[in-house]
Amino acid sequence: MRTRFKALAALAAVAALTLAGCSSPSGEPAPGGEPAGGDEPFKVVAFTSGNQTPIGAWWVKAMDAKAKELGWDMTMIQGDFDFQKMNPAVESAIGQGADVVVDGYTDFASIGSIVTAAKDAGIPMFAIDSGTEPSDAFVLNITTDQQGIVDQTLGAFDKALGGLAGKTVMVIGHDPHAGIRLRASLAEKALKAAGAEIANGEIQKVESPATGRTEALKLVADYLAAHPDGLDAIWVGWDDAALGAAQAVKEAGSHAVVSGVDATSEAIAGIQAGGAFLATIEQPWPSILDDLIKQIEAYRADGTLPSNNFEAVQANLVTKDNAASITPSDKLG
Amino acid sequence: MATPASNTPTSTVSISAGGRSVGRLLLQSGTVVALILLIVFFFAMRPDVFLTFTNVRNILYQVSILAIIAGAQTVVMVVGDFDLSVGATSALAGAVTGALLIGGVPIPMAIIVGLIVGLLIGVANGLLIAYLRLSAFVATLATMTSVIGLAYLVTEGTTLFNFPAEFNNLGQGRFLEIPLPVYFAIVISVVLWLVLRFTTAGRRWYATGGNAEVSRLSGVNVKRARFIAFSVAGLVSAIGGILLAARLGSASAVQGEDNMMFSVAAVFLGMTVVRSGVANLGGTMVGVAIIGVMSNGLNILGVNAYVQQVLTGLIIIAAVTLSSLKTRER
């Protein structure tokens, strides 16, 4: 009996410590869904499913810093790509009262129940990179211009290869990520329009971002084994997989060039090394976050909502010429 | 001219027995036959490519890390358990080694620490399962979860890179035109095979996996046997993880996470190779070869990745069904 009591007490202590550790540093939000006014703290419910990615992890830290600076009472919910866990937690936080909800890097397709909860409570949702097209889910979603990303990377190919017509290009995408899915299909379309041939006739799909590098490495290595010197370029939707593609090119002794998106330190180092990795894309997340915060603060001040619910910001091409001046996306904070 | 139908009853019986033995032979060697059929099929589809030196080397290179991790899984499955944490252990070992290398630690020391990390995870699994009697599923699921968390802490959620060239050479270098990981995989597989086949420890593992209670009554220290099996699996998984970091020149918290699933699949496929239907290293290597040949062949034919996944699952179902049919027959 005594042992059982001790075990129960220990369990309770662990649970209490865990709950204390998991709670928001800015304190528990007060109940009610009224807009902020007077001396009441501005209550923000922020969430991201991508907190385990370098950019998601930066965003969590950056939001925390902004909340402290602006005196927000912010609850940050981190979902680890587990919507079954994250969505109810966000809905519960909304139910306890908030002035705005902020979505970081989580596609609106995955958060339908959160959107409904926020609408029911009359709370506006702001978002950063949470969909590639306008959606009524948000009063504002700022992301990067996917067509611009494609135009710039293919422009780099065009320059390096002396034109795209007649060239064989492999396109590697990942369907579950809305941004990658869109830009891969835009790349495929643009390449076909430019007269290039798509390797294997369609976009090559990587199944898991966690194994993106090895999957891309295999895809390219197998293709080059079957078609030695059969690739002129490999367009990849994100850097980690692009690094695998570049390694396969190097190992096969191919002359193909590779582009990625994200501007991670490793990709930038690869570009600077002058190997197969030709270019990547820097997405200006810090300035995008600043713009988003401005809009949230405008709403906080007098209830002004953004005039458009979608903004696509121009991203920057990173090549050997400017690689040294770029802050890698995994070193943002 | 006499036809088989005009044979005597005796010969009819012999044909029937022969048919049954052919069926049994097919059932017995179904997985090996499947591997041969896959090779023949892909060779027929792309005779100019599939069995060229470059492509065979390509396949061997691609499956070398999986072969090592599947070897680790085989040891655990021989004792009748399985280890869900092999992929996470390999990722953490690679991440720790990578972090130490970036911190300027000499290569041998960084590798040794990575191996110790893997061994410690194996020891923890062994303690939980053999001595605290947790189910292997629960214990290794829990350690997998914690180990992935540790890997995120070590890598700070990023990808570690910029390792010394000498380290990367372990995964990317070649000897006689064959990538070094292929040699490592062969050496580790042979060592594990020798241990399983010819040592007392190996026989105790098989005895434990066959019937733990009978083994215990026969004087086998079942707890120690399971403990050592999990410890070995942790250590061998770490070797795979360190080689993967060297092969990619980078390390992340989730690197090679599909190795867990494929290692279990390879062992299951391999279990169908032997008459007894138990895990065995030779069979596991046949399983690894099937997975590698399938992936490479389908890539060469340009088959959609999603279709590939469906086919891989179907092959595993077929193999496990075959295995259960054999068990029933016994």
Side-chain angles (χ1 to χ4, degrees), chain B residues 26-45:
Chain B
L26 275 174
L27 199 63
Q28 181 66 45
S29 51
T31 311
V32 178
V33 171
L35 175 60
I36 294 166
L37 286 177
L38 281 174
I39 292 170
V40 169
F41 172 73
F42 289 125
F43 179 64
M45 297 300 286

Side-chain angles (χ1 to χ4, degrees), chain B residues 90-102 110 113-115 117 150-151 154-155 160 251:
Chain B
S90 70
L92 179 62
V96 167
T97 304
L100 291 173
L101 289 171
I102 290 169
V113 174
L115 294 175
V117 166
L150 285 171
V154 170
T155 59
L160 306 176

